[in-house]
Amino acid sequence: MSDARHQPPQQPANEPTVDSVARSEALHIDRYEGIWVRVSMTTLALFTVAVIYASTAMGIQLPGMHMRIDPRTVATPGMSLFAEPKVTQIREGEYEAYIRAQAQPWIFTPSKIHIPVGAKLTLYITSQDVQHGFYIDRTNVNVMVLPGQVTKTAARFDKPGVYNFICHEYCGIGHHTMFGQIIVETPEMIAEATATAEAAVALATGVGNPANGQARFTLCAGCHGLGGEGVKGLGKPLANSEFVAGLKDAELVDFIKKGRAIDDPANTSGVAMPPKGGNPALNDNDLLDIVAFIRTLQTQ
Ligand code: CUA
């Protein structure tokens, strides 16, 4: 028997011990697997940071319940902001709208919302009866509308146009009729709408501006004379005219708008009166001003 048998087995320094073999086998990760694990962990970490940043720094929150409300009184005047819901401007470029959804009849009130382009619109929506939905086309507004609670959501409208909104929760036999529009207008569209509204008011009240009308009358003067005295072979006199006296402002505006064709049996001058005297750019307001000027020519 040699002494070597009693010596502890010699282990070369470069060979792994039993312990370290077990540990490294338990931790063995394939190179590519390791890469993917790191990619996944990094992605998760990035998402977590992004969610925290979006909700805190950018203020992006899930649309949710804003407050509770009693659906039995939600449509009762004086009892809630939803009784006569409307759109209001809260500051420059920011609007808020209260919208009430209801079944029987199946409607949104209001169903038409006008805002200027670039405006941020905050919506408070509730239902007075059953569960409805609210989805605005071409935006990421997509919420449920429940009786008893107010849903708050918001969107910014940077492109002009008509954005349809619909109820997208089946709410009864008239569900498909629940829709409305958000009309995002450019300054030109607003100016035009204002002019049309003013013209409608002016027509209803019959108040034109004779000074503006005189300025516009130069076109008419070609056939009717600068003082409305008429031009032989062209236009009839408008001053002290029975025809003018016999018509109301709105009727005269209507007449000038249409003109009088040469084959019209009522045409006694033998010359056509072109619609709007030949200037299609004149709007109702302009025509009313012209009528107001023509009125000043009636001295008898
Ligand atoms: Cu309301 Cu569907």
Side-chain angles (χ1 to χ4, degrees):
M1 296 231 292
S2 83
D3 281 354
R5 280 170 51 194
H6 300 286
Q7 283 171 3
Q10 290 282 316
Q11 290 229 2
N14 59 348
E15 253 180 49
T17 61
V18 177
D19 244 19
S20 71
V21 167
R23 218 180 303 135
S24 78
E25 268 178 2
L27 282 177
H28 176 74
I29 294 169
D30 183 81
R31 183 164 164 259
Y32 291 107
E33 197 179 358
I35 291 171
W36 279 115
V37 165
R38 285 184 190 88
V39 167
S40 315
M41 302 290 263
T42 311
T43 311
L44 275 178
L46 283 177
F47 283 173
T48 308
V49 170
V51 166
I52 293 169
Y53 179 76
S55 64
T56 56
M58 296 170 74
I60 297 174
Q61 304 282 339
L62 277 178
M65 187 183 73
H66 174 61
M67 57 180 274
R68 292 211 176 273
I69 195 164
D70 188 343
R72 290 167 299 184
T73 55
V74 86
T76 312
M79 298 288 275
S80 89
L81 285 167
F82 292 92
E84 283 140 2
K86 57 181 191 293
V87 189
T88 46
Q89 183 174 16
I90 43 177
R91 61 180 70 86
E92 188 63 34
E94 276 190 49
Y95 291 75
E96 63 181 21
Y98 283 79
I99 298 179
R100 191 178 77 238
Q102 68 175 91
Q104 294 173 348
W106 286 261
I107 49 170
F108 287 109
T109 312
S111 62
K112 273 205 165 67
I113 294 170
H114 291 262
I115 54 165
V117 69
K120 182 189 173 191
L121 178 66
T122 304
L123 297 150
Y124 299 91
I125 319 166
T126 194
S127 162
Q128 69 181 59
D129 38 48
V130 298
Q131 177 176 321
H132 298 276
F134 188 83
Y135 167 77
I136 310 177
D137 191 25
R138 292 187 287 145
T139 70
N140 58 3
V141 171
N142 178 340
V143 292
M144 282 169 77
V145 181
L146 303 171
Q149 74 176 47
V150 177
T151 303
K152 181 184 178 185
T153 183
R156 189 177 290 284
F157 294 86
D158 288 325
K159 287 203 182 108
V162 175
Y163 294 74
N164 294 315
F165 59 80
I166 56 160
C167 172
H168 64 331
E169 292 275 347
Y170 183 73
C171 55
I173 193 89
H175 160 69
H176 61 285
T177 67
M178 280 192 80
F179 60 89
Q181 293 180 326
I182 295 171
I183 299 140
V184 180
E185 298 168 321
T186 60
E188 297 79 55
M189 290 159 81
I190 294 169
E192 195 177 311
T194 311
T196 309
E198 278 173 0
V201 170
L203 272 180
T205 55
V207 186
N209 180 325
N212 289 348
Q214 184 165 20
R216 308 240 183 240
F217 192 74
T218 47
L219 176 76
C220 321
C223 291
H224 295 286
L226 271 173
E229 65 280 1
V231 175
K232 213 166 187 315
L234 281 175
K236 289 199 165 182
L238 299 175
N240 303 322
S241 149
E242 265 178 45
F243 175 77
V244 170
L247 293 179
K248 294 195 182 100
D249 284 6
E251 292 167 332
L252 269 176
V253 166
D254 201 50
F255 175 80
I256 300 171
K257 242 191 211 175
K258 290 182 185 138
R260 181 164 272 172
I262 202 156
D263 56 357
D264 186 327
N267 189 327
T268 53
S269 67
V271 180
M273 154 83 183
K276 297 188 178 181
N279 181 1
L282 296 175
N283 62 30
D284 284 4
N285 223 355
D286 301 330
L287 297 179
L288 195 67
D289 291 345
I290 291 171
V291 167
F293 171 67
I294 294 172
R295 292 279 183 225
T296 66
L297 307 175
Q298 317 304 310
T299 51
Q300 290 173 4

